[in-house]
Amino acid sequence: MDKLLVTGGSELEGDIYTSGSKNSALPILAATLLTRDRCVIRRVPDLSDTNYMVQILAALGAHVERASGTVEVEAEKVISEAPYELVRKMRASICVMGPLLARTGVANVSLPGGCVIGDRPVDLHLRGLEQLGADIKVEGGSIYVKAQDGMGDREINMRGKHGSTVLGTDNLMMAAVLTKGTTVIEGAAMEPEVKDLAHFLKAMGAKIEGAGTRRIVIEGVKELQGAEHTVIPDRIEAGTFIIAGAIAGKRLTVKRCNPAHMTAFLKSLTDSGYPVEVTSDSVTVSRAASPRGGDIRTEPYPGFPTDMQAQFTALYANVPGISVITETIFPQRFMHAPELNRMGAKITLEGPTAIITGVDHLTGAPVMASDLRASAALVLAGLMAKGETAVNRLYHIDRGYENIDEKLIMVGAKMRRVRE
Ligand code: EPU
């Protein structure tokens, strides 16, 4: 199991480049199952999660080729069963359900397992497909979905008690593109990744209006064709580097990103006194002369993203005063807090709220990564800590960050991956 040894105190300077978005690439790869033609997807980040998706596509019968960021998929024939051995490795594999249903009329997908960031039900996915007119049975740990005659011409509300659902909206959009009639999705997730998927589906010939808003209208078509697509930049990877710049930047420029997708957290950063310069595709950030704490609430897009919460918790650990972060999407997503406290942070949890009292400095310590964004937070904390931080269980970070250590070393970070 790899671990990362991070020596704190280095200054970051220069340009760091953003990869393609993991959370766009995963459903877009799943969408290639909707056609028997060849699809070419560019800027797919090389991550263990995208590798799982490639394996899942192959297991479902597709022919897949992957070379330096480009994945070509030809799903001439498709098997409609995604077994537990595949699905258990990655929750996002649930997004093959919509395409399998649309393409073959049936989908048999194992229920994804538990997740360390909290309870992650799929009731909204199922409710949406049911309202689309599909017949659904959950039995023996598997979901069986069957298309019924007359699917389509429906108005479906996808809002749940924590707001909209990203993969649920993706699944429904993919299930609806080949059904008869018009499907209206109300309460749709507005995340840029949903819009990116819609762009790809439209390039395949789908008729979709309103992706990126609360209301998506899909007019079913008979079949889809092969298409080429370039995945959008990963706003969360870019955001993580931006926090690295706020923590240790002499002047760090995060390039090849889309600042328009990062408005909420860039505002939190400037509100806390960090100098941020934005162009159409880059963000430059450095340490603040006198940073202030913040008060953050995670929300669905365009609000402050839950996937940036852990990184801001790490940042505020070392900012004078008291900061408050409330997690409304995944209320238990604070596995990083006790680990940061082991490094000398003062974070107390009151239900879904973290109260962070800024300390003078953090001290390097062995810490345990528990999920993707929590691991990123620990690496960031290591950059500012005195001494060495050993981030164990690094495989979590490799699920969602392409060569994070190499990229940070290029701009001056001191860290070393140790293979054990
Ligand atoms: N929810 C339900 N029922 C459902 C689906 C979701 O109650 O059927 C709840 C969830 O429990 C949560 C909220 O709705 O409280 C939002 O969850 P959502 O469905 O939007 O999450 P997701 O689609 O499974 C994606 C990202 C996550 C990101 C969330 C929220 C992918 C592959 N994953 O998950 O990314 O945190 O949206 O923005 O797109 C990450 O990259 O580290 C990550 C966890």
Side-chain angles (χ1 to χ4, degrees):
M1 233 184 274
D2 288 6
K3 66 178 169 191
L4 193 63
L5 303 178
V6 185
T7 305
S10 50
E11 273 197 327
L12 307 186
E13 192 176 13
D15 299 339
I16 190 163
Y17 288 86
T18 314
S19 296
S21 159
K22 163 180 86 80
N23 291 348
S24 260
L26 295 173
I28 286 172
L29 287 171
T32 61
L33 294 172
L34 286 163
T35 176
R36 57 182 63 239
D37 296 347
R38 192 175 190 79
C39 293
V40 181
I41 316 298
R42 300 206 164 82
R43 225 176 152 192
V44 175
D46 188 7
L47 307 167
S48 45
D49 271 12
T50 53
N51 287 332
Y52 289 142
M53 186 52 87
V54 162
Q55 284 171 31
I56 290 170
L57 296 180
L60 293 174
H63 178 74
V64 192
E65 281 174 40
R66 180 172 200 167
S68 60
T70 299
V71 178
E72 299 195 20
V73 187
E74 198 170 334
E76 210 189 328
K77 289 207 181 84
V78 164
I79 304 160
S80 51
E81 184 178 340
Y84 185 60
E85 300 81 71
L86 293 175
V87 172
R88 73 182 172 85
K89 292 187 182 160
M90 182 178 66
R91 220 198 95 88
S93 41
I94 190 77
C95 67
V96 299
M97 191 160 64
L100 288 181
L101 177 68
R103 175 83 187 268
T104 69
V106 280
N108 169 1
V109 179
S110 216
L111 273 168
C115 174
V116 72
I117 68 177
D119 191 21
R120 295 182 74 182
V122 291
D123 57 315
L124 297 172
H125 297 238
L126 302 185
R127 193 181 79 191
L129 293 177
E130 206 160 38
Q131 287 183 25
L132 189 66
D135 186 40
I136 295 178
K137 219 169 52 183
V138 181
E139 219 173 68
S142 281
I143 308 167
Y144 299 86
V145 193
K146 203 163 169 230
Q148 301 287 320
D149 277 349
M151 274 177 55
D153 261 346
R154 296 283 198 287
E155 186 153 320
I156 299 169
N157 182 3
M158 285 301 277
R159 233 188 121 70
K161 64 174 192 272
H162 294 287
S164 48
T165 160
V166 177
L167 289 175
T169 304
D170 289 345
N171 246 333
L172 194 58
M173 204 159 58
M174 291 188 280
V177 282
L178 290 176
T179 53
K180 280 189 209 137
T182 302
T183 306
V184 178
I185 307 178
E186 291 285 1
M190 292 163 54
E191 270 68 3
E193 293 76 18
V194 174
K195 203 169 164 183
D196 200 28
L197 170 64
H199 274 148
F200 175 55
L201 293 171
K202 282 162 90 167
M204 295 171 87
K207 291 196 175 150
I208 303 173
E209 296 289 330
T213 72
R214 286 266 163 266
R215 182 183 161 93
I216 302 178
V217 182
I218 302 153
E219 204 187 308
V221 294
K222 266 221 160 91
E223 60 175 18
L224 297 178
Q225 299 86 46
E228 301 200 3
H229 183 79
T230 301
V231 173
I232 57 169
D234 196 311
R235 63 193 165 103
I236 306 300
E237 187 205 24
T240 305
F241 293 146
I242 289 167
I243 300 299
I247 283 172
K250 194 170 173 192
R251 192 176 155 81
L252 185 69
T253 301
V254 181
K255 292 210 156 164
R256 236 193 271 152
C257 61
N258 187 345
H261 293 163
M262 307 191 275
T263 315
F265 62 80
L266 289 178
K267 180 170 184 313
S268 299
L269 210 52
T270 45
D271 285 352
S272 286
Y274 289 88
V276 175
E277 290 164 39
V278 173
T279 71
S280 61
D281 64 355
S282 76
V283 177
T284 300
V285 62
S286 25
R287 281 185 301 244
S290 28
R292 301 178 288 279
D295 190 344
I296 286 172
R297 230 183 128 75
T298 63
E299 273 163 5
Y301 190 83
F304 185 101
T306 170
D307 292 342
M308 283 300 295
Q309 178 263 108
Q311 300 87 319
F312 268 79
T313 307
L315 173 74
Y316 285 148
N318 193 214
V319 167
I322 291 184
S323 298
V324 178
I325 301 187
T326 301
E327 175 57 76
T328 74
I329 311 287
F330 297 113
Q332 297 155 39
R333 195 179 196 176
F334 282 111
M335 303 292 281
H336 44 286
E339 298 300 305
L340 290 170
N341 284 347
R342 297 188 66 251
M343 298 174 70
K346 275 197 185 151
I347 305 168
T348 51
L349 295 178
E350 285 181 16
T353 300
I355 296 154
I356 307 155
T357 307
V359 294
D360 178 56
H361 67 272
L362 298 181
T363 311
V367 286
M368 197 71 90
S370 55
D371 80 83
L372 172 57
R373 308 304 170 189
S375 331
L378 297 175
V379 173
L380 293 171
L383 289 175
M384 63 178 143
K386 284 192 176 160
E388 188 176 79
T389 300
V391 183
N392 291 288
R393 294 199 187 160
L394 207 57
Y395 59 88
H396 285 293
I397 214 164
D398 293 332
R399 297 189 67 153
Y401 290 91
E402 190 175 51
N403 307 324
I404 189 170
D405 41 342
E406 287 171 29
K407 288 189 184 186
L408 286 169
I409 289 167
M410 295 277 283
V411 290
K414 290 204 183 81
M415 54 182 69
R416 178 162 67 89
R417 187 182 281 253
V418 180
R419 296 186 197 274
E420 287 182 332

